[in-house]
Amino acid sequence: MSGGVDSSVAAALLAEQGHDVIGLSMQLYDQSEGHTSFGSCCSIDDLHDARRVAAAIHIPHYILNFEKQFDQQVISNFVQEYVAGRTPLPCARCNSDLKFATLADRARGLGADAVATGHYARVERAEASGRYLLKRGVDSGKDQSYFLFSLTQEQLASALFPVGDRPKETVRDYARRRRLPVANKPDSQEICFIPGHDYRSFVTRRAPEAARVGVFVDEHGDVLGTHEGIHRFTVGQRKGLGLASPTGTPMYVLALRAADQQVIVGPKSSLERTTLTASDVNWILAEPNQPLRAAAQIRHRHKAAPAAVRSLGDGRAEVVFDAPQTAITPGQAVVFYDGDTVVGGGWID
Amino acid sequence: MNVSPMRVYFDYNATSPLAEDVTDAVVRATRDVFGNASSVHHFGQQAKATMDAARSAVATLLNADLSEIVFTSGGTESDNFAIRGAAEALEPTGRRHLIASAIEHEAVLNTLKALARRGWRTTLLSVDQSGIVSPDRLRDAIGTDTAVVSVMQANNEIGTIQPIAALAAIAHEHGALMHTDAVQSAGKIPVDVRALGVDLLSMSAHKFNGPKGAGVLWIKRGTRMQPVLTGGKHERNRRAGTENVPAIAGLGVAARLAAGKLSVEAPRVAALRDRLEAGILRAVPGTAVNGAPESRVPNTTNISFERVEAESLLIALDLEGVAVSTGSACSSGTLEPSHVLRAMGLAAHRTQSSLRFSLGMFSTEEEVDRVIEVLPRLVEKLRGLTRKTVPA
Ligand SMILES: Cc1ncc(COP(=O)(O)O)c(C=O)c1O
């Protein structure tokens, strides 16, 4: 229970259905010394909100201290990825490595049969294969299956997403009807541990070595200027480059080279690619032994595009889009869909 | 998860339920004694008389004079008052050094930190493996500029009792004042301010079946102190603010009950605690007692459960209706590694796998046996699952 409306409603729905529900919230970073402005989600106020909701629906509630695990499993990966010139996706790491791992273990230790969250996604069991399927939430605007692609069969088997088959508005309506204290709380938007979207200073605080001066170069290798560290950039970025293009056309970040601290820039047309490879691929449907047709999604807010997906073995896969895609970004996830069903996904190389 | 047939409260060191006579006294004073104790008229005199009765009950409990007792809002205020009040009073003499043990309550530790930010030098005394401060440590640390030495009589997490008289003698040899936080000892073991030889002593009503928000700072006659709360002339100019008469009335009754029943109650609770401890050690493999078994308050035991996250075990017990605690809770209610167990030199995995059981007035043998019965199953279940996350 994050203290937001979705997980609050998830808990309330299950309790109303007569399940034996225990509310658990994760404290993810030090709240003790005035760090309350640290981020928006799971701040101390949110933990108190979660407690108030649990009291309102008459379930026990506990806050688990996962500061150390969050730091080791999510934050340090986040920082390393930026230092390596990639653009991380911490919410997906948090789901697979913390919520449905350490937290789920704890819940089982307390006698729980399943772990429910407020994600907009659905889990179904395939009759024929017996496999657990992950599907998009019915509210396509809120769907979060993209962030859950790396859940294993074991993790999916005990996962419940009670709001996944509802539109967001009915979730809010339900919260209002039940008079949950968070019914009118705005949705959280930021990465929970980054205050005010300023991830750059967060990364340099955690990894001062990231703030190394480097150069902008164009596609031909010509140096166009200097920058203060590649962690400040992401593929597809246009704003904040501080570059005047010689020809007057807007310049975009095309790639980041950690080895020599170079930011490669060029015109928008150069951002387009049809092929990518991915690593640490998780197949939710069985791993295919020949190329399959799927819709591949390369960002949270990307419209999945038709592609051929081929397993390369060793947990790797190649995706060839029918049409070029803009800003394929290393570090983000690529998730393959068959209609609403997640076939699998991996981390973009 | 299961609907528990019985709720067991073994967290008396966090706070204790009110004795029936205490509740009656608080209710009566709330209803019938509304006057301001500073007023000249009948109503004021009535309030003053209620406070006087409480003051004399506390004086009896502590072997103190009536004039030495200052009512406060609890242990935290008493600790703040003792250290800040003495530090400020001694400031003109050039004594700008404060000493406390590393296992003090946050009320003491954070007061020292606050004064350190304002220029006082502070030293924390280390403790041995059983959580005891050796007088030699104090002898090494103390100097001619030491203003106050603050060492708790009994620790809230492990119950260990400190050699306060010996420490006080050393403090006085060097012209420093000796404060002891007796919040966890008052009402549980005899607390005689003369025998302890201290100058300042804190206590708190809610730890011995009194109401919350009422406490005492005992200030030895003749001790120079600056008030921390300034205002009217209450409590002989030492602590301003209209007194919380109902809570003070409850404190007085709790003190009277404790003084009267200590010789019977302490061995009774100790026997329950020992039964619990022996039962757990027998029924659950991989358990060990933290602290000093031969020198601790009768109601407390602190036990580590190898390969179990204490946080999870606490929750599992609560779901079975058993209330215990561990470490110190931070503002959100999560658990932090205990600074007490760390100061004792316990390995990280052991500090994270320790639970405190603290018993008291209403504890029964049946409750003890219930806890011994449910623990093995819960521990076994958690051990099956936390192997990966807890380094053994
Ligand atoms: C040793 C010790 N000192 C001080 C306090 C604070 O007392 P109070 O809760 O009355 O402020 C406590 C209680 O938590 C304690 O255990």
Side-chain angles (χ1 to χ4, degrees):
Chain A
M1 296 178 73
S2 67
V5 68
D6 301 327
S7 57
S8 298
V9 168
L13 283 168
L14 291 171
E16 187 180 58
Q17 289 159 15
H19 295 285
D20 220 342
V21 183
I22 306 169
L24 297 177
S25 299
M26 304 189 293
Q27 179 175 308
L28 299 178
Y29 31 80
D30 189 0
Q31 307 273 12
S32 61
E33 310 233 3
H35 286 187
T36 43
S37 62
F38 202 72
S40 71
C41 167
C42 307
S43 75
I44 195 150
D45 292 340
D46 295 310
L47 295 175
H48 287 307
D49 283 342
R51 182 173 48 71
R52 278 191 280 269
V53 169
I57 61 174
H58 307 293
I59 62 169
H61 176 251
Y62 305 97
I63 299 173
L64 300 172
N65 188 340
F66 280 162
E67 279 170 32
K68 207 172 66 203
Q69 290 91 338
F70 189 67
D71 191 89
Q72 289 169 356
Q73 288 161 14
V74 180
I75 296 184
S76 56
N77 169 270
F78 176 86
V79 172
Q80 279 161 20
E81 287 281 271
Y82 270 117
V83 172
R86 294 157 59 88
T87 304
L89 190 63
C91 301
R93 299 271 176 199
C94 182
N95 285 334
S96 60
D97 298 357
L98 204 58
K99 279 188 198 148
F100 291 97
T102 317
L103 177 66
D105 281 349
R106 293 287 186 88
R108 267 190 291 277
L110 300 176
D113 301 319
V115 175
T117 66
H119 285 110
Y120 285 87
R122 288 171 290 160
V123 184
E124 279 171 21
R125 184 138 198 214
E127 299 264 328
S129 62
R131 287 181 81 84
Y132 290 90
L133 306 184
L134 176 65
K135 294 188 159 189
R136 289 195 192 272
V138 294
D139 187 333
S140 57
K142 284 285 162 187
D143 169 50
Q144 290 171 315
S145 58
Y146 177 77
F147 295 106
L148 295 162
F149 77 92
S150 57
L151 296 195
T152 62
Q153 282 295 304
E154 194 193 345
Q155 288 172 321
L156 287 172
S158 58
L160 295 176
F161 303 123
V163 301
D165 54 6
R166 287 156 197 263
K168 175 84 186 193
E169 258 327 294
T170 70
V171 169
R172 277 218 184 267
D173 288 346
Y174 178 86
R176 291 193 187 108
R177 213 168 51 243
R178 293 286 309 268
R179 296 177 193 278
L180 301 184
V182 296
N184 295 315
K185 193 171 167 179
D187 291 354
S188 60
Q189 303 291 350
E190 307 176 357
I191 294 172
C192 73
F193 54 94
I194 303 291
H197 299 276
D198 184 10
Y199 80 87
R200 296 181 179 90
S201 46
F202 181 86
V203 170
T204 40
R205 242 190 346 267
R206 289 284 304 236
E209 74 276 13
R212 249 191 305 158
V213 174
V215 292
F216 291 108
V217 299
D218 65 16
E219 293 168 274
H220 316 293
D222 292 338
V223 174
L224 304 180
T226 60
H227 64 75
E228 289 165 30
I230 59 167
H231 68 285
R232 308 177 69 82
F233 304 96
T234 184
V235 170
Q237 179 178 342
R238 179 166 71 94
K239 290 187 182 141
L241 302 188
L243 285 180
S245 133
T247 59
T249 54
M251 302 284 258
Y252 292 81
V253 173
L254 304 180
L256 301 166
R257 283 214 208 107
D260 42 18
Q261 293 292 300
Q262 286 188 352
V263 176
I264 321 295
V265 298
K268 182 159 195 194
S269 57
S270 300
L271 269 176
E272 298 194 335
R273 299 259 185 290
T274 47
T275 307
L276 65 82
T277 60
S279 302
D280 288 329
V281 174
N282 179 48
W283 296 102
I284 293 180
L285 299 185
E287 180 168 352
N289 43 27
Q290 53 189 352
L292 62 83
R293 296 290 304 165
Q297 182 174 334
I298 55 171
R299 268 188 296 283
H300 175 42
R301 296 267 170 233
H302 172 248
K303 189 171 180 325
V309 179
R310 188 162 64 94
S311 169
L312 302 175
D314 263 354
R316 304 191 62 240
E318 181 192 61
V319 179
V320 181
F321 290 97
D322 296 358
Q325 303 297 310
T326 302
I328 292 173
T329 307
Q332 294 285 292
V334 57
V335 180
F336 326 130
Y337 290 88
D338 175 6
D340 274 350
T341 303
V342 176
V343 176
W347 299 96
I348 298 173
D349 293 327
Chain B
M1 302 285 288
N2 311 327
V3 182
S4 180
M6 166 194 223
R7 284 225 175 247
V8 177
Y9 186 78
F10 279 176
D11 201 12
Y12 276 70
N13 286 8
T15 194
S16 56
L18 269 61
E20 219 171 83
D21 289 355
V22 171
T23 311
D24 290 346
V26 173
V27 169
R28 234 180 301 113
T30 306
R31 195 183 46 216
D32 304 336
V33 191
F34 75 90
N36 184 325
S38 304
S39 300
V40 174
H41 47 59
H42 166 78
F43 299 93
Q45 290 179 24
Q46 204 188 7
K48 198 83 180 164
T50 303
M51 287 180 54
D52 284 343
R55 207 181 299 274
S56 70
V58 172
T60 305
L61 181 70
L62 300 179
N63 187 24
D65 282 352
L66 292 175
S67 63
E68 295 173 318
I69 286 153
V70 180
F71 290 120
T72 67
S73 67
T76 301
E77 186 191 326
S78 295
D79 288 346
N80 269 267
F81 184 8
I83 296 167
R84 291 173 192 266
E88 270 192 39
L90 290 172
E91 204 178 353
T93 67
R95 289 183 177 264
R96 300 269 289 174
H97 179 220
L98 305 168
I99 298 177
S101 88
I103 63 168
E104 294 301 306
H105 188 268
E106 286 81 355
V108 168
L109 292 178
N110 287 335
T111 300
L112 254 61
K113 268 193 206 160
L115 290 171
R117 280 194 292 272
R118 289 168 39 199
W120 271 269
R121 195 161 66 81
T122 61
T123 305
L124 293 186
L125 303 174
S126 60
V127 297
D128 67 15
Q129 270 188 341
S130 53
I132 291 179
V133 179
S134 103
D136 288 341
R137 288 284 93 74
L138 177 57
R139 225 173 252 118
D140 295 343
I142 201 165
T144 50
D145 65 337
T146 304
V148 185
V149 177
S150 178
V151 177
M152 67 206 319
Q153 190 179 12
N155 179 269
N156 43 312
E157 292 184 30
I158 51 175
T160 300
I161 297 170
Q162 303 295 344
I164 297 300
L167 299 170
I170 297 165
H172 292 155
E173 276 167 34
H174 293 80
L177 292 176
M178 182 74 198
H179 167 245
T180 190
D181 174 339
V183 167
Q184 292 292 349
S185 50
K188 293 176 188 160
I189 56 171
V191 177
D192 178 329
V193 290
R194 309 288 165 208
L196 289 172
V198 295
D199 304 289
L200 300 156
L201 180 142
S202 307
M203 54 186 264
S204 177
H206 73 98
K207 306 291 185 179
F208 57 98
N209 312 105
K212 287 148 194 64
V216 165
L217 181 65
W218 172 82
I219 305 174
K220 189 168 128 189
R221 181 176 295 152
T223 306
R224 267 203 293 167
M225 288 290 279
Q226 281 293 326
V228 168
L229 291 183
T230 48
K233 296 190 168 47
H234 312 83
E235 297 294 278
R236 295 171 177 244
N237 279 331
R238 290 172 299 189
R239 199 272 191 184
T242 301
E243 299 86 347
N244 182 356
V245 175
I248 291 169
L251 162 61
V253 173
R256 181 164 54 72
L257 292 176
K261 296 208 300 194
L262 197 61
S263 58
V264 186
E265 205 33 27
R268 186 190 76 85
V269 172
L272 288 177
R273 189 269 317 271
D274 293 345
R275 181 187 179 97
L276 175 71
E277 188 173 275
I280 293 174
L281 294 181
R282 194 171 352 96
V284 187
T287 45
V289 176
N290 301 314
E294 49 319 310
S295 173
R296 55 182 173 168
V297 285
N299 78 319
T300 307
T301 179
N302 188 300
I303 298 179
S304 58
F305 297 80
E306 220 173 84
R307 291 193 290 108
V308 175
E309 294 274 3
E311 190 176 64
S312 291
L313 184 52
L314 186 155
I315 295 171
L317 280 167
D318 189 42
L319 292 168
E320 290 281 346
V322 178
V324 300
S325 91
T326 158
S328 39
C330 82
S331 46
S332 67
T334 68
L335 309 169
E336 314 205 297
S338 152
H339 72 281
V340 175
L341 299 181
R342 259 188 316 194
M344 288 159 59
L346 263 56
H349 65 85
R350 193 154 162 194
T351 64
Q352 285 158 25
S353 65
S354 298
L355 285 186
R356 172 184 79 187
F357 302 79
S358 51
L359 288 60
M361 181 180 273
F362 299 104
S363 302
T364 64
E365 208 161 87
E366 195 190 357
E367 290 181 323
V368 166
D369 293 345
R370 163 97 183 127
V371 174
I372 298 169
E373 177 201 323
V374 301
L375 258 175
R377 175 169 48 85
L378 301 178
V379 169
E380 202 174 317
K381 177 138 203 177
L382 291 168
R383 279 186 179 153
L385 288 147
T386 57
R387 215 163 293 241
K388 288 177 302 233
T389 46
V390 185

